[in-house]
DNA sequence: CGAAACTTTGAGCGCATTCAACGCCAGTGG
DNA sequence: CCACTGGCGTTGAATGCGCTCAAAGTTTCG
């Protein structure tokens, strides 16, 4: 539960009762291995879920056999919390790593939203953020060069992880495959490999099998022209000096 | 008001009282000339608005001076209906043609949504559609070839117009500039001109100054592999035979 | 140890870009 | 009524980014 509550708390102010209500509603927790579909495009939605640990992605398969990744879900992120209106899922969701997942019936969400204005606002906010991220990706894929585009995605992911207190200083590591990043950035595997090599040579990242690390997020953000405003995080609205100097963190002036 | 009500009615069933409530809430109607910003990125949101007539677009300016169009707003579409949670707009909205606009205070929207479940559902649905469209564009810009990508955008726009009973058979015409389409598809003006020339030579479109016409939407949809499912229109869930044979319309089996 | 998944490297090609110039049309003002 | 101006569209040539195809290296896992 923790990262989810932390995420909702970023914007709305959840009081003791709100948290209690959330904890009461969200009980059904399970572990899922990597590479499993949580939602399959075209199927009837079964219920919402929340990622408590691990990485997942929202994706679509394209006619030519490829895959297009539309969003990453990190701990705290909900998945299809509002899809009860739909007859069929319009995209799939799959785990990228082992995940801990909470399943939530739609009814529970509706009741929470109806009874608790704070939670209602927080859920809305997270929908707006999802949209904003999608917009930013659209801009990126259309306009940015491949290297900045990839760097931008990394910056965004790390910033989102930081917002829920994950991916801390010592371990700015993402468990992503090159193929996954390629499907995100709209690049071929081959070219993505070269792009990563460039970033590595520039000292902006280090990468290994299924993992990418960022030694100095500030520099990467500079390189990518990453401006976190669109994530609508409260921190992004403070001055960047303030943001860069939170205790126990390296500079992340973006 | 009409196209907005027609749009909401696509999914939710609005009864007489719902419509009356909408008409009561939405009064402040004005005309706006082409090329005006309705919303400016970074400014505090002043209130929501609804496009009653004309075309508008949501866009972002990119650092290098370019513009990236994130969505088109056609009659019936709302604009920032749910942005009251935000401190600052994260994208701009501008008119592309002369428009008739209804301004709606956020309070009115909240009250409508709270008091009238049908309207609540309809508003939610339109948010989901906006997200779905954005997803489809993301896939398109990353994966489709330039010509199919442009064709796909045209198909989508015309399908959306048809859904609110505009852009009928005799006048499948879009008042779009090449520069606008280029900023949408993530292509250069020059290349977009060539792409349009190809589509013209293939007999799929005709184009003039600030306008593009589609003589046979069915053929264009075929060419673009356009499948309207993601628009979540009720018609899309009927069999395509049924859809193609509505009275007074040319075949639009997509 | 072998197989599968992931990553890297090289070579050649093609799509889309940039730069530049020109044509065309609409509106404006003399 | 005509010339001018600016927005829009077209065309050509040269460049380059990212793709495809192909093969080999590397790590993990059964």
């Amino acid at each position: 539960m923790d990262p989810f509550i932390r995420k909702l708390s970023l914007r709305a102010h959840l009081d003791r009762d709100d948290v209690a209500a959330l904890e009461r509603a969200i009980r059904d927790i399970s572990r899922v291995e990597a590479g499993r579909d949580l939602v399959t495009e075209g199927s009837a939605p079964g219920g919402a879920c929340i990622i408590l640990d691990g990485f997942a992605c929202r994706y679509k398969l394209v006619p030519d056999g490829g895959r297009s990744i539309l969003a990453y879900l990190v701990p705290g992120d909900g998945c299809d919390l509002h899809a009860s209106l739909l007859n069929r899922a319009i995209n799939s969701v799959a785990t990228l790593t082992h995940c801990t997942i909470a399943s939530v019936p739609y009814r529970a969400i509706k009741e929470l939203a109806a009874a608790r204005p704070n939670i209602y606002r927080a859920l809305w906010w997270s929908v707006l953020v999802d949209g904003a991220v999608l917009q930013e990706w659209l801009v990126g894929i259309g306009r940015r060069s491949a290297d900045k585009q990839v760097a931008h995605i990394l910056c965004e992911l790390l910033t989102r992880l930081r917002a829920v207190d994950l991916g801390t200083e010592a371990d700015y590591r993402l468990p992503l495959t090159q193929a996954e990043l390629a499907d995100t950035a709209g690049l071929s595997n081959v070219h993505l490999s070269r792009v990563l090599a460039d970033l590595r040579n520039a000292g902006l990242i280090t990468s290994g099998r299924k993992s990418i690390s960022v030694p100095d997020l500030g520099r990467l953000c500079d390189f990518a022209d990453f401006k976190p405003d669109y994530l609508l995080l409260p921190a992004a609205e403070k001055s960047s000096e303030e943001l860069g100097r939170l205790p126990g963190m390296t500079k992340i002036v973006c």
Side-chain angles (χ1 to χ4, degrees), chain A:
Chain A
M1 270 312 295
D2 232 37
F4 184 56
I5 291 177
R6 230 174 296 148
K7 182 182 174 186
L8 293 191
S9 305
L10 284 175
R11 252 320 172 89
H13 211 68
L14 302 186
D15 60 32
R16 207 170 283 273
D17 288 347
D18 292 324
V19 172
L22 280 169
E23 280 173 342
R24 220 175 311 118
I26 301 169
R27 288 272 194 64
D28 180 5
I29 291 174
S30 55
R31 307 219 72 226
V32 181
E33 57 184 326
R36 279 259 174 286
D37 268 12
L38 299 177
V39 178
T40 305
E41 185 176 348
S43 69
C49 63
I50 297 165
I51 311 285
L52 300 183
D53 188 52
F55 275 59
C57 73
R58 183 182 302 283
Y59 71 94
K60 274 195 176 196
L61 295 176
V62 287
D64 66 358
R67 175 181 62 167
S68 186
I69 291 183
L70 303 167
Y72 286 106
L73 305 179
V74 304
D77 285 341
C79 158
D80 289 355
L81 295 185
H82 313 271
S84 58
L85 289 167
L86 272 46
N87 303 344
R88 304 176 269 112
I90 55 172
N91 47 223
S92 306
V93 176
T95 55
L96 297 174
T97 64
H98 279 241
C99 285
T100 309
I101 307 281
S103 306
V104 197
Y106 290 126
R107 214 171 37 77
I109 296 176
K110 279 185 194 164
E111 287 169 5
L112 278 173
R116 311 230 127 246
N118 288 336
I119 295 178
Y120 176 81
R121 261 192 302 279
L123 290 176
W124 258 114
W125 168 77
S126 77
V127 170
L128 292 178
V129 172
D130 289 351
V133 169
L134 217 48
Q135 285 186 2
E136 192 65 30
W137 283 24
L138 190 62
V139 173
I141 222 171
R143 302 279 167 167
R144 269 190 273 271
S145 60
D147 48 1
K148 302 214 170 193
Q149 153 82 337
V150 170
H152 198 277
I153 291 171
L154 297 178
C155 290
E156 179 196 294
L157 265 173
L158 288 171
T159 303
R160 284 169 55 196
L161 284 172
R162 264 215 5 180
V164 289
D165 289 339
L166 297 169
T168 49
E169 185 179 10
D171 186 34
Y172 277 151
R173 220 175 57 79
L174 297 169
L176 295 179
T177 284
Q178 290 194 3
E180 282 149 10
L181 270 178
D183 288 343
T184 306
L187 300 171
S188 67
N189 285 355
V190 173
H191 194 60
L192 191 103
S193 172
R194 291 192 237 264
V195 166
L196 283 190
D198 290 346
L199 293 178
R200 224 181 299 126
N201 291 336
L204 292 169
I205 65 168
T206 60
S207 75
R209 240 179 124 64
K210 295 196 195 194
S211 98
I212 294 177
S213 304
V214 177
D216 184 341
L217 184 49
R219 277 186 59 221
L220 192 64
C221 289
D222 277 351
F223 174 77
D225 292 321
F226 178 73
K227 298 191 203 66
D229 313 37
Y230 69 96
L231 291 175
L232 306 176
L233 299 174
E237 314 209 329
K238 299 176 190 172
S239 70
S240 39
E241 292 89 322
E242 223 176 310
L243 177 62
R245 294 307 178 187
L246 296 176
M249 295 181 167
T250 45
K251 202 176 70 165
I252 316 195
V253 182
C254 297

